Amino acid sequence: MSGVFVAIGVFVVVVVGALVGGFVWGVGRAAGWGSGGRKGLAAAKKPQPYAYLDADKNVSREQVLRVAHGYENDDALGVYAQDVIETFNRQDLLRKDILSLLRREFEEGSLTWDKFSLPVESACDGILSNSAQIANRMQAFDSAEYLRLDRIDRAGGLENKQTEMHRLEVMRSVLEEMGSIQHANDRLLLELEKLQAELNKLSGEDVESETDVIAAEIRELVEETHYYA
């Protein structure tokens, strides 16, 4: 008789286990587990399909940041994406501080206000344009292929493969371009820092003379943004 109870107990355990297992499997299927489900979750975090950003008009920082955040953890492009994000953060802090200094000393909308504020807005526009160009290049870049070719080249495997070597050189040149554009952003941030320092002095003609030089430098740097388009 005890043997019958044992058999019944085993049967119940098996049935319950099957039901629970089926439930978990069903939930897992709904959530995307199994059949590469985890890969599916990872794929969902990949950047969106290429969306050209017009660096000269009709582009917003939100659009640029959406692209940059999609590449933050990319093995080849992560450093460039992080630079773009950090550039906007630094720009915001500088712009906020400079405008605060101006409000303390001048009436908003006055000629003096415009003289100091316009270079700030111009620098921010230049940074946005440069960052959009970096974002466009990131979207068109094949990181997996670059990393594959770079790994083979470092192992000496591309010596007799001219086509693949040329492809790698082109991809490296794209990375260098992004580095150059980011350098232009860094220079604009530096000019904003210099303007901030001079406005903190506000000591008459010398300050105005120096800020004129800074404004001219900003205009020149912003003009250079068109070279990268």
Side-chain angles (χ1 to χ4, degrees):
M1 189 69 173
S2 60
V4 173
F5 286 120
V6 170
I8 292 174
V10 171
F11 175 77
V12 171
V13 170
V14 171
V15 171
V16 171
L19 290 173
V20 172
F23 175 76
V24 172
W25 179 85
V27 172
R29 292 289 290 179
W33 303 346
S35 301
R38 286 191 178 276
K39 291 182 180 178
L41 290 174
K45 296 180 181 179
K46 288 183 179 180
Q48 297 297 314
Y50 183 93
Y52 176 75
L53 303 179
D54 191 332
D56 291 324
K57 58 182 179 179
N58 298 326
V59 66
S60 68
R61 61 179 289 160
E62 288 75 19
Q63 291 173 306
V64 175
L65 284 171
R66 190 178 303 122
V67 173
H69 282 303
Y71 290 93
E72 274 187 282
N73 298 316
D74 187 281
D75 289 338
L77 301 173
V79 64
Y80 303 96
Q82 292 160 18
D83 281 344
V84 167
I85 295 167
E86 179 59 25
T87 294
F88 280 127
N89 290 337
R90 289 176 60 197
Q91 168 202 284
D92 290 346
L93 290 174
L94 286 166
R95 181 178 182 277
K96 180 180 179 180
D97 187 58
I98 290 172
L99 294 183
S100 177
L101 288 170
L102 293 180
R103 289 190 185 95
R104 188 182 67 193
E105 298 292 334
F106 311 112
E107 181 181 352
E108 190 166 349
S110 66
L111 291 177
T112 308
W113 168 279
D114 289 343
K115 175 180 179 177
F116 291 122
S117 66
L118 287 178
V120 176
E121 301 305 333
S122 180
C124 292
D125 288 343
I127 287 171
L128 175 59
S129 177
N130 285 339
S131 299
Q133 291 166 37
I134 294 174
N136 283 336
R137 285 164 172 79
M138 286 194 294
Q139 292 183 92
F141 194 84
D142 188 339
S143 294
E145 180 65 0
Y146 166 75
L147 293 169
R148 183 185 75 84
L149 291 173
D150 185 63
R151 184 171 60 252
I152 295 172
D153 180 49
R154 293 180 188 279
L158 294 185
E159 291 181 0
N160 298 316
K161 298 181 179 180
Q162 293 185 355
T163 300
E164 290 189 322
M165 191 66 223
H166 180 65
R167 289 177 64 198
L168 179 59
E169 289 172 352
V170 170
M171 298 179 91
R172 284 173 174 166
S173 71
V174 172
L175 294 179
E176 289 176 2
E177 273 187 353
M178 288 192 284
S180 296
I181 299 172
Q182 179 56 45
H183 179 62
N185 273 348
D186 292 338
R187 291 167 64 194
L188 282 167
L189 288 174
L190 176 61
E191 292 303 317
L192 287 177
E193 290 171 353
K194 288 162 62 177
L195 181 59
Q196 177 193 43
E198 290 302 319
L199 290 175
N200 266 311
K201 298 176 185 177
L202 288 175
S203 60
E205 293 183 1
D206 290 340
V207 171
E208 290 207 10
S209 175
E210 185 61 31
T211 54
D212 286 343
V213 173
I214 294 170
E217 180 65 19
I218 289 175
R219 284 193 297 271
E220 184 177 337
L221 290 173
V222 171
E223 281 297 316
E224 289 180 10
T225 64
H226 300 296
Y227 302 152
Y228 302 114

